[in-house]
Amino acid sequence: SPTRRSSDLIYASHTFVGIVDERRRLAAIQGGVKLFLVDYGMICSEYFYQVGLTDFGNFGTIRFNPSLNLKELLSLAAEHEKASSPPASEDDDFEVEEVAELVSAQLIERREMLLEYFSFEISEEGEVISIPLLLKGYTPSLAKLPRFLLRLGPHVNWMSEKECFATFLRELASYYVPEQLPPTPGPEDPEEEVGEEIKIRRQQMNKAVEHVIFPAFRARLIATKSLMKGGVVEIANLKGLYRVFERC
């Protein structure tokens, strides 16, 4: 359709202008004579899901040395979940260690399938040895890793092969989406009271978004109607701006 062709053209031939807001994950790109504001969080989610589908069974790996303790990571995520979302009733309450044990057992039980199809390696003793690599030159936030692992328990349909693959890839894509960070202060704003680690991560992420992620969009992203509807907004037509300036 014309909409599909125009949307593909925007992503395939755009010029990256700059990140507008790291917290809201907004960036500006130019396509022809038009300027667009794009939700790169939403676009990344769809892009990495597409990569998961096309590279299925043939992923690279991000290896951990030393390996990571699965149950410890799950406990961290469960503790954070419990602290940030207090249960509405006693029925919704849960024991952190019980949840960590349950999800750990699920993943260890399916470790052969996870390794074969996703290059996601977990030892029989519960050590995370590797996770899938979806985009060379880009490492997803390790701070998001515990929550990603925890969500594999209740948010992956382990009972149906087709649904298992689809839901796992959705969770993997979500993990690969750049994290929300405090935005870079403007020239008139005082420097934020953030730690050095956040500043370094912001610099790394901004570099990755501009030089790795958006070039990857140009190379292989298939734009969908949902991306055009919610992921990109035209904010200026440069022809119109030129006419305005000519009258000044």
Side-chain angles (χ1 to χ4, degrees):
S1 68
T3 301
R4 180 63 176 274
R5 288 197 297 270
S6 64
S7 62
D8 283 339
L9 187 62
I10 290 171
Y11 293 115
S13 61
H14 75 269
T15 299
F16 184 85
V17 176
I19 292 178
V20 176
D21 189 327
E22 292 98 338
R23 179 176 284 122
R24 298 170 65 193
R25 291 179 295 211
L26 300 175
I29 61 172
Q30 182 179 341
V33 296
K34 295 180 179 181
L35 192 64
F36 300 93
L37 191 65
V38 297
D39 180 340
Y40 64 83
M42 177 185 290
I43 300 169
C44 278
S45 182
E46 180 60 32
Y47 169 78
F48 286 118
Y49 181 68
Q50 292 178 14
V51 170
L53 291 175
T54 55
D55 293 359
F56 183 78
N58 193 34
F59 297 110
T61 59
I62 297 174
R63 301 189 69 83
F64 299 114
N65 187 18
S67 55
L68 306 176
N69 187 284
L70 175 61
K71 199 174 294 184
E72 287 181 4
L73 294 174
L74 291 169
S75 295
L76 282 173
E79 286 172 2
H80 182 269
E81 188 77 19
K82 191 168 185 175
S84 59
S85 303
S89 66
E90 289 187 6
D91 292 337
D92 296 328
D93 199 8
F94 61 87
E95 292 296 328
V96 168
E97 290 307 314
E98 187 178 328
V99 169
E101 182 68 40
L102 178 63
V103 178
S104 175
Q106 283 182 310
L107 296 179
I108 291 172
E109 181 184 349
R110 294 167 174 84
R111 65 187 183 280
E112 293 182 4
M113 181 270 287
L114 292 172
L115 178 60
E116 179 180 359
Y117 293 121
F118 303 110
S119 300
F120 181 17
E121 187 173 1
I122 299 173
S123 73
E124 190 174 357
E125 294 73 33
E127 296 292 317
V128 181
I129 298 170
S130 71
I131 58 175
L133 173 67
L134 299 187
L135 178 60
K136 191 175 294 185
Y138 170 65
T139 301
S141 170
L142 292 182
K144 294 175 63 179
L145 181 59
R147 188 169 188 267
F148 161 64
L149 295 171
L150 182 65
R151 286 181 60 88
L152 294 181
H155 293 279
V156 172
N157 185 344
W158 298 105
M159 307 309 294
S160 162
E161 183 175 84
K162 183 177 180 181
E163 284 300 310
C164 172
F165 295 156
T167 51
F168 181 93
L169 290 176
R170 280 295 178 194
E171 291 301 322
L172 182 61
S174 179
Y175 170 54
Y176 261 80
V177 172
E179 69 267 40
Q180 294 173 291
L181 294 169
T184 304
E188 298 179 358
D189 298 327
E191 180 58 47
E192 298 174 76
E193 294 295 326
V194 297
E196 191 64 26
E197 185 177 341
I198 293 294
K199 294 178 184 178
I200 292 172
R201 183 58 183 165
R202 186 167 61 197
Q203 292 169 355
Q204 293 172 336
M205 184 53 60
N206 289 357
K207 184 177 180 180
V209 167
E210 178 176 358
H211 297 291
V212 181
I213 292 176
F214 271 85
F217 292 164
R218 283 198 295 269
R220 64 185 291 186
L221 176 67
I222 299 174
T224 60
K225 289 182 179 179
S226 62
L227 285 187
M228 285 305 295
K229 185 176 181 180
V232 57
V233 176
E234 182 182 333
I235 55 175
N237 186 312
L238 301 185
K239 280 186 177 179
L241 290 179
Y242 293 148
R243 285 195 291 269
V244 171
F245 288 132
E246 287 172 357
R247 292 199 297 269
C248 295

